Amino acid sequence: MSVRVRRVYEPPEPDDGVRVLVDRLWPRGLKKDAAHVDEWPKPLTPSTELRHWYHAGEQSYEEFGRRYEAEPAAPEAAELLDHVRELAGKGTVTLLTAAKSPEQSHALVLARLLQA
């Protein structure tokens, strides 16, 4: 299973495999045809409440990760998690995010969930 995390603003690469946008909102300033997104499972992204909580101030990334890991337990999100996990079992999946620091984003938490 191969799951990668990249910024959506980076040009697509031939070895990206299935490109999955994991942000709830479409990335600012990016045209849909330029993004080359294959899937956009919005219910799998962090809830609006969790995003607002995390970006409000002094919250730790570790606590954000713990809270986000609990969200895919909702039926629709769990189904989408299984779908993306199935895609990753067949080939490379690249999780795309607009986060400036993908190494400290929900995309990395989701990558760990997919590989569990």
Side-chain angles (χ1 to χ4, degrees), residues 21-85:
L21 180 62
V22 294
D23 290 344
R24 188 162 296 264
L25 305 174
W26 188 260
R28 184 174 294 162
L30 186 65
K31 293 183 180 182
K32 291 189 179 185
D33 60 336
H36 300 281
V37 169
D38 298 308
E39 305 225 0
W40 188 15
K42 289 183 196 177
L44 194 52
T45 65
S47 66
T48 301
E49 296 79 16
L50 182 58
R51 285 186 305 106
H52 286 267
W53 173 84
Y54 184 53
H55 295 295
E58 305 281 326
Q59 290 70 13
S60 73
Y61 175 71
E62 291 75 22
E63 179 60 22
F64 168 78
R66 280 191 290 278
R67 291 180 182 206
Y68 178 48
E69 285 175 2
E71 288 192 350
E76 187 178 10
E79 196 173 299
L80 287 167
L81 183 65
D82 288 342
H83 171 69
V84 176
R85 190 177 283 131

